Amino acid sequence: MISKEAIKRGYNRGNYIVGAHTPPSYAANLKENSGSIVSTGTAGMQRAAVAVGAAHIAALQGVADEVLTDTGSVVEWTRDWWAASMVSETAGKPATTEGVIVKVSSVEQIQAVMRMANEAAIPVTVSAGRSNVTGAALPLRGGIVLDVCKLNRFLGIDKESQIVEVEAGMFGDVFEQIIQGEHGMTMGHWPSSFGISTVGGWVACRGAGQLSTRYGKIEDMVFGMDVVLADGSLISVGGYSRAALGSDLQQLFIGSEGTLGVIVRVRLKLHRLPDYGRAIAYGFKSFAIGLDACREIMQRGGNPAALRLYDELESGVQFGLPDLNVLLVADEGAAGIVDAVMAISEQVCREMGEKLDGGTIFEKWLDTRYLTGKSSEGFKRSPGFVSDTLEMIGRWSDLPAIYTEVVDALKAVPGTLAGSAHQSHAYVDGACLYFSLRGEVEVENRAKWYRQAWDAANEVLIKYNAALSHHHGVGLLRAPYMSASLGSAFPVLEAVKRTLDPKNILNPGKLGLSDALAHEASQ
């Protein structure tokens, strides 16, 4: 059964932090002495950071659990997993050096902090697990970094309705352990960052787990939630299985990345723990044929928990099969449903590819699924090695061309070692392609290569009107492409932001929105 295997096979913060996702020097600094690598007073990402004065620091100390102001603490408590911030830090410029870390453990404290910040026009960036890979929680303008990790209580469960209520700062592994161990249920949400990300972070960045084809993305799992707005007021949104009450206000905050409010409590839909599972695997001569097989499975009514197709490069890294495009199909749940889904999948795959040992492929996937993408396996690692991943979603009719054009665009950037992809999440109308970017350049040119690679790939995505992100969100990384991507709808996003946060204090500069505070914009 996939969910129990996921718990058993090492979803924990310690293993993930020092894993293949990060250069050894960065991992060592994370574990040993976070502040020691500060070699300059210049931040790599911040501009015109807003200072928090002594009077406001004293006021914050009066309402918060802890307030940290020294540079070493700011660097340590704002680190994230964005490749660009790692490049900056290993070059001697930590991403963010200015700000005040404010740790809280109650909704009332958050309301007090927001009232104070709103009155004084001090920027506030909400922070928790900091597992984001787009710079979404970096305090671009300094100010207050609101750490909500201690807002982590399990509030209750409605077993008959299978709805749980939890505070936003609870980490994913703790949350799933409680609902599985004490209540015999699961949410089915298994992101790669499972052990170092929080429930609120999942919602704020509109995340997805590895079994989303069965269980859905996070926006499908939220039943209701409570949000503190910029002025400190507390609102509740959602609370219905379905409704016709005008626009869905809950969806306005899901994926808002802390720009519209602070998510403090979430009510989530659960599933009974599955007691049956199966896995099969097939190989295809081309990635396009494999994509067609995935489309057929979905459109014939199959929705397996995992439907993951790897191109030749990644099939070689993941499964030792570099001459095939390997498809893993795995499902869990009620036996009758699983068997029906697998029958559909078998029928489709037999028509297009060759059967592989599903059990062996599944076991290898469980053991190595976090290595494909950002790892340096197959490449000689050097100080100038950079790797990252890009996940997007497009229509089935466009995906073969998008795959080819993005890989070609990446390879055309000087210094690129390889571009590859796998399909990670599938739907009836389209799918997510998860691209891997790897480059090796002179150390001083890492940031330049990184941005050129992202520019090249996103030019293709905008051309096909594909979504820039499937589940990692926007943050600072995708901010330059948001206006072109949303087109005529982008001013609507700006208008919503102005209405809910007129002083622009909530996480300024994210989602492609302006980082100018209201009083600065009017000058």
PDB file of all heavy atoms in Angstrom, residues 97 108 123 167 235 284-285 291 322 410 414 420 453 466:
ATOM      1  N   THR A  97      19.133  39.260   4.550  1.00  0.00           N
ATOM      2  CA  THR A  97      19.882  39.527   5.785  1.00  0.00           C
ATOM      3  C   THR A  97      19.187  40.502   6.711  1.00  0.00           C
ATOM      4  O   THR A  97      19.568  40.619   7.878  1.00  0.00           O
ATOM      5  CB  THR A  97      21.268  40.102   5.452  1.00  0.00           C
ATOM      6  OG1 THR A  97      21.104  41.337   4.739  1.00  0.00           O
ATOM      7  CG2 THR A  97      22.078  39.138   4.597  1.00  0.00           C
ATOM      8  N   GLU A 108      -4.515  34.854  17.896  1.00  0.00           N
ATOM      9  CA  GLU A 108      -4.606  36.186  18.490  1.00  0.00           C
ATOM     10  C   GLU A 108      -3.292  36.946  18.351  1.00  0.00           C
ATOM     11  O   GLU A 108      -3.281  38.164  18.099  1.00  0.00           O
ATOM     12  CB  GLU A 108      -5.003  36.075  19.965  1.00  0.00           C
ATOM     13  CG  GLU A 108      -6.413  35.560  20.215  1.00  0.00           C
ATOM     14  CD  GLU A 108      -6.569  34.061  19.971  1.00  0.00           C
ATOM     15  OE1 GLU A 108      -5.545  33.335  19.969  1.00  0.00           O
ATOM     16  OE2 GLU A 108      -7.722  33.620  19.768  1.00  0.00           O
ATOM     17  N   PRO A 123       6.242  45.716   6.083  1.00  0.00           N
ATOM     18  CA  PRO A 123       5.991  44.478   5.334  1.00  0.00           C
ATOM     19  C   PRO A 123       5.987  43.254   6.253  1.00  0.00           C
ATOM     20  O   PRO A 123       6.753  43.190   7.218  1.00  0.00           O
ATOM     21  CB  PRO A 123       7.172  44.406   4.358  1.00  0.00           C
ATOM     22  CG  PRO A 123       7.699  45.792   4.285  1.00  0.00           C
ATOM     23  CD  PRO A 123       7.449  46.416   5.621  1.00  0.00           C
ATOM     24  N   GLU A 167      -4.263  23.480  12.755  1.00  0.00           N
ATOM     25  CA  GLU A 167      -3.640  24.780  12.577  1.00  0.00           C
ATOM     26  C   GLU A 167      -2.591  24.709  11.475  1.00  0.00           C
ATOM     27  O   GLU A 167      -2.002  23.667  11.213  1.00  0.00           O
ATOM     28  CB  GLU A 167      -3.025  25.261  13.890  1.00  0.00           C
ATOM     29  CG  GLU A 167      -4.073  25.628  14.918  1.00  0.00           C
ATOM     30  CD  GLU A 167      -3.487  26.172  16.210  1.00  0.00           C
ATOM     31  OE1 GLU A 167      -2.373  25.731  16.590  1.00  0.00           O
ATOM     32  OE2 GLU A 167      -4.144  27.016  16.848  1.00  0.00           O
ATOM     33  N   ILE A 235     -11.291  36.078   9.135  1.00  0.00           N
ATOM     34  CA  ILE A 235     -12.438  35.643   8.353  1.00  0.00           C
ATOM     35  C   ILE A 235     -12.404  34.131   8.179  1.00  0.00           C
ATOM     36  O   ILE A 235     -11.350  33.499   8.270  1.00  0.00           O
ATOM     37  CB  ILE A 235     -12.490  36.321   6.968  1.00  0.00           C
ATOM     38  CG1 ILE A 235     -11.286  35.880   6.099  1.00  0.00           C
ATOM     39  CG2 ILE A 235     -12.524  37.839   7.098  1.00  0.00           C
ATOM     40  CD1 ILE A 235     -11.416  36.272   4.634  1.00  0.00           C
ATOM     41  N   PHE A 284       8.044   2.486 -23.521  1.00  0.00           N
ATOM     42  CA  PHE A 284       7.605   2.965 -24.828  1.00  0.00           C
ATOM     43  C   PHE A 284       8.804   3.464 -25.624  1.00  0.00           C
ATOM     44  O   PHE A 284       9.806   3.915 -25.064  1.00  0.00           O
ATOM     45  CB  PHE A 284       6.573   4.080 -24.664  1.00  0.00           C
ATOM     46  CG  PHE A 284       5.359   3.653 -23.889  1.00  0.00           C
ATOM     47  CD1 PHE A 284       5.295   3.847 -22.516  1.00  0.00           C
ATOM     48  CD2 PHE A 284       4.294   3.028 -24.512  1.00  0.00           C
ATOM     49  CE1 PHE A 284       4.192   3.437 -21.784  1.00  0.00           C
ATOM     50  CE2 PHE A 284       3.190   2.613 -23.795  1.00  0.00           C
ATOM     51  CZ  PHE A 284       3.140   2.808 -22.419  1.00  0.00           C
ATOM     52  N   LYS A 285       8.668   3.422 -26.953  1.00  0.00           N
ATOM     53  CA  LYS A 285       9.778   3.799 -27.819  1.00  0.00           C
ATOM     54  C   LYS A 285      10.035   5.295 -27.825  1.00  0.00           C
ATOM     55  O   LYS A 285      11.131   5.738 -28.148  1.00  0.00           O
ATOM     56  CB  LYS A 285       9.507   3.304 -29.244  1.00  0.00           C
ATOM     57  CG  LYS A 285       9.526   1.781 -29.379  1.00  0.00           C
ATOM     58  CD  LYS A 285       9.282   1.353 -30.814  1.00  0.00           C
ATOM     59  CE  LYS A 285       9.318  -0.158 -30.947  1.00  0.00           C
ATOM     60  NZ  LYS A 285       9.068  -0.607 -32.347  1.00  0.00           N
ATOM     61  N   LEU A 291       3.072   9.525 -23.588  1.00  0.00           N
ATOM     62  CA  LEU A 291       2.068  10.538 -23.261  1.00  0.00           C
ATOM     63  C   LEU A 291       0.702  10.128 -23.803  1.00  0.00           C
ATOM     64  O   LEU A 291      -0.333  10.302 -23.136  1.00  0.00           O
ATOM     65  CB  LEU A 291       2.463  11.892 -23.834  1.00  0.00           C
ATOM     66  CG  LEU A 291       3.587  12.649 -23.134  1.00  0.00           C
ATOM     67  CD1 LEU A 291       3.949  13.905 -23.924  1.00  0.00           C
ATOM     68  CD2 LEU A 291       3.192  13.033 -21.711  1.00  0.00           C
ATOM     69  N   PRO A 322      17.872   3.210 -20.075  1.00  0.00           N
ATOM     70  CA  PRO A 322      18.049   4.438 -20.854  1.00  0.00           C
ATOM     71  C   PRO A 322      17.529   4.374 -22.277  1.00  0.00           C
ATOM     72  O   PRO A 322      17.513   5.402 -22.964  1.00  0.00           O
ATOM     73  CB  PRO A 322      19.568   4.624 -20.846  1.00  0.00           C
ATOM     74  CG  PRO A 322      20.114   3.248 -20.722  1.00  0.00           C
ATOM     75  CD  PRO A 322      19.148   2.517 -19.837  1.00  0.00           C
ATOM     76  N   LEU A 410      16.385  24.469 -23.536  1.00  0.00           N
ATOM     77  CA  LEU A 410      17.344  24.354 -22.439  1.00  0.00           C
ATOM     78  C   LEU A 410      18.730  23.986 -22.969  1.00  0.00           C
ATOM     79  O   LEU A 410      19.740  24.562 -22.555  1.00  0.00           O
ATOM     80  CB  LEU A 410      16.873  23.300 -21.441  1.00  0.00           C
ATOM     81  CG  LEU A 410      15.615  23.631 -20.635  1.00  0.00           C
ATOM     82  CD1 LEU A 410      15.176  22.424 -19.819  1.00  0.00           C
ATOM     83  CD2 LEU A 410      15.851  24.822 -19.724  1.00  0.00           C
ATOM     84  N   PRO A 414      24.042  28.141 -23.407  1.00  0.00           N
ATOM     85  CA  PRO A 414      25.434  27.738 -23.166  1.00  0.00           C
ATOM     86  C   PRO A 414      25.655  27.320 -21.715  1.00  0.00           C
ATOM     87  O   PRO A 414      25.247  28.013 -20.788  1.00  0.00           O
ATOM     88  CB  PRO A 414      26.225  29.009 -23.503  1.00  0.00           C
ATOM     89  CG  PRO A 414      25.345  29.759 -24.462  1.00  0.00           C
ATOM     90  CD  PRO A 414      23.942  29.486 -24.009  1.00  0.00           C
ATOM     91  N   SER A 420      15.641  17.310 -19.319  1.00  0.00           N
ATOM     92  CA  SER A 420      14.862  16.076 -19.371  1.00  0.00           C
ATOM     93  C   SER A 420      13.519  16.321 -18.694  1.00  0.00           C
ATOM     94  O   SER A 420      13.267  17.411 -18.173  1.00  0.00           O
ATOM     95  CB  SER A 420      15.612  14.938 -18.670  1.00  0.00           C
ATOM     96  OG  SER A 420      15.828  15.249 -17.302  1.00  0.00           O
ATOM     97  N   ALA A 453      18.233  29.860 -18.530  1.00  0.00           N
ATOM     98  CA  ALA A 453      17.534  28.588 -18.691  1.00  0.00           C
ATOM     99  C   ALA A 453      16.042  28.750 -18.417  1.00  0.00           C
ATOM    100  O   ALA A 453      15.192  28.249 -19.173  1.00  0.00           O
ATOM    101  CB  ALA A 453      18.143  27.533 -17.770  1.00  0.00           C
ATOM    102  N   ALA A 466       0.388  27.553 -21.738  1.00  0.00           N
ATOM    103  CA  ALA A 466       0.409  26.537 -20.681  1.00  0.00           C
ATOM    104  C   ALA A 466       0.557  27.235 -19.334  1.00  0.00           C
ATOM    105  O   ALA A 466       1.058  28.366 -19.252  1.00  0.00           O
ATOM    106  CB  ALA A 466       1.574  25.581 -20.898  1.00  0.00           C
TER     107      ALA A 466
END
